[in-house]
Amino acid sequence: MELSTNYMGLALRNPLVASPSPLSKTVDGVRQLAEAGVGAVVLYSLFEEQLRREAALDAELADAGAERFSEALSYFPEVAEEEPGPRVYLSLLERAVAAVEVPVIGSLNGVTPGGWVDYARAMQDAGAAAIELNIYYLPGDTHTSGRDVEQRHIDVLTRVKDAVTVPVAVKLAPYFSSTGEMALRLDEAGADGLVLFNRFLQPDIDPDRLTSVPTVELSSSAEARLPRTWIALLRGRVRASLAATTGVEAPADVAKYLLAGADVVMTTSALLRHGPAYAAILLDGLSAWMDRKGFATVDDLRGILSVAPGADEAAYERAGYVSALRDANSGAYGPW
Ligand SMILES: Cc1cc2nc3c(=O)[nH]c(=O)nc-3n(C[C@H](O)[C@H](O)[C@H](O)COP(=O)(O)O)c2cc1C
């Protein structure tokens, strides 16, 4: 079975990619993922806040002496204090690249086009095969316009593209008024890959303790439907590679994303749930399914269920919605 795949110009042995997670916080973790067979590993993210915090500390040191360090630290969110800093990250990246045969992709998490984006170059110098930009931005300020939010994405991407020669992917959210147009704009601005979609970690509320609770919940297969729909719609309409992320729990989920048109399929929750070795089970299941269906290569099946170029995309979406409701109305759910 031929699983080899091209992702942003990188030759991968197969289309299964370990997406950022605590599993890639150590060289041993990265090695386990590679040994389980993944085609590439994206390291956990280095946060803009960590980089700005380190820069502020350096400036404090130069300007005012060590006694004002704590003041500088207090400007930044707690996450920056909990996470290892950029030097640790770059060292891990360098050692991970040396330890495994598969491409290791660095990940930067930020929302402003500030000086921190130069760290993309440091990642490249440390051996990153590509950079994934996780633009994790929830515009909490209700006066921020949609166009401003979109422009931020373009500005961050442009700055990073200017800093590196390796491919750059953008991991974006699904929450745009016109997600497709945003994808096209990123494509035109030079994104080599689009990673669909970021999964926001929305806080829960504990009604007994009357507090808001920050939680990280692992995904389920049903959550793959939204990214899969957009991958099917974008296949053949952007030059950038398409990476699917969210809701890969079983081999069938990998197959479905490839049929929709994903170049690579990423997984985190399943590997956290079952351990890194589960990647081999996903890959074996994919091969067995391809065998049953008579597909010799991934290229033979990729995108065969995407929305054909030239189709009326809006009508396609509307038709699916209308027919699904019609079926629901005539079936088990009763009249709506
Ligand atoms: C515990 C945890 C940590 C994560 N850390 C990162 C991160 O550092 N950077 C990032 O881009 N995504 C991060 N993600 C998101 C995953 O890479 C992935 O996109 C998301 O979980 C959806 O994929 P899944 O359904 O296979 O879990 C994290 C997810 C989890 C559950």
Side-chain angles (χ1 to χ4, degrees):
M1 200 62 59
E2 182 52 62
L3 296 184
S4 62
T5 293
N6 183 305
Y7 178 48
M8 302 192 286
L10 306 173
L12 308 192
R13 60 186 172 181
N14 65 62
L16 187 70
V17 172
S19 40
S21 82
L23 293 172
S24 57
K25 282 199 164 176
T26 61
V27 176
D28 198 44
V30 174
R31 200 180 282 119
Q32 285 180 41
L33 291 165
E35 279 168 7
V38 296
V41 176
V42 189
L43 281 199
Y44 75 95
S45 299
L46 184 55
F47 284 72
E48 172 183 344
E49 285 82 358
Q50 291 166 253
L51 299 169
R52 293 191 2 241
R53 175 172 176 259
E54 182 146 301
L57 286 175
D58 288 349
E60 282 285 302
L61 183 61
D63 289 355
E67 68 278 8
R68 285 183 51 206
F69 270 21
S70 55
E71 193 185 325
L73 276 171
S74 67
Y75 299 149
F76 297 97
E78 263 175 44
V79 62
E81 293 188 44
E82 288 164 4
E83 297 288 333
R87 290 181 190 100
V88 175
Y89 189 94
L90 294 172
S91 156
L92 169 71
L93 176 57
E94 203 167 318
R95 287 177 293 123
V97 169
V100 297
E101 296 286 312
V102 297
V104 179
I105 297 172
S107 169
L108 270 173
N109 180 321
V111 291
T112 64
W116 64 273
V117 297
D118 294 339
Y119 275 87
R121 196 197 317 262
M123 286 189 184
Q124 173 177 289
D125 293 345
I131 309 290
E132 186 172 289
L133 262 178
N134 177 359
I135 308 189
Y136 192 106
Y137 182 46
L138 265 175
D141 173 0
T142 48
H143 298 290
T144 307
S145 77
R147 236 12 185 187
D148 283 350
V149 174
E150 293 167 13
Q151 194 55 44
R152 257 172 197 257
H153 285 67
I154 303 294
D155 291 345
V156 176
L157 169 64
T158 310
R159 288 286 299 272
V160 173
K161 281 292 288 181
D162 285 347
V164 297
T165 53
V166 292
V168 178
V170 179
K171 187 170 184 177
L172 68 159
Y175 310 118
F176 294 96
S177 295
S178 181
T179 305
E181 197 232 9
M182 185 70 236
L184 293 188
R185 287 185 71 196
L186 289 166
D187 190 46
E188 278 159 21
D192 300 281
L194 297 173
V195 184
L196 311 175
F197 287 114
N198 236 336
R199 191 165 170 266
F200 286 141
L201 305 177
Q202 290 132 338
D204 202 353
I205 282 182
D206 181 334
D208 288 325
R209 291 171 47 226
L210 303 182
T211 53
S212 132
V213 194
T215 53
V216 177
E217 268 178 33
L218 300 181
S219 66
S220 65
S221 294
E223 289 176 60
R225 288 172 184 231
L226 181 65
R228 203 162 61 225
T229 302
W230 277 108
I231 284 170
L233 280 162
L234 289 172
R235 176 91 201 159
R237 290 171 177 79
V238 287
R239 183 200 41 85
S241 294
L242 295 171
T245 178
T246 297
V248 170
E249 175 55 26
D253 299 316
V254 183
K256 289 197 239 181
Y257 266 134
L258 293 170
L259 289 167
D263 291 290
V264 292
V265 180
M266 300 186 163
T267 174
T268 283
S269 290
L271 300 181
L272 286 172
R273 239 183 229 124
H274 309 290
Y278 188 69
I281 295 185
L282 291 174
L283 286 165
D284 288 348
L286 175 66
S287 294
W289 169 79
M290 285 172 63
D291 198 28
R292 275 201 311 280
K293 292 289 163 194
F295 294 118
T297 73
V298 179
D299 286 340
D300 289 345
L301 67 102
R302 182 177 284 111
I304 62 175
L305 294 181
S306 61
V307 180
D312 178 343
E313 298 94 342
Y316 175 91
E317 271 300 290
R318 184 88 198 148
Y321 171 70
V322 171
S323 66
L325 283 190
R326 197 175 43 233
D327 291 352
N329 277 331
S330 61
Y333 303 105
W336 283 26

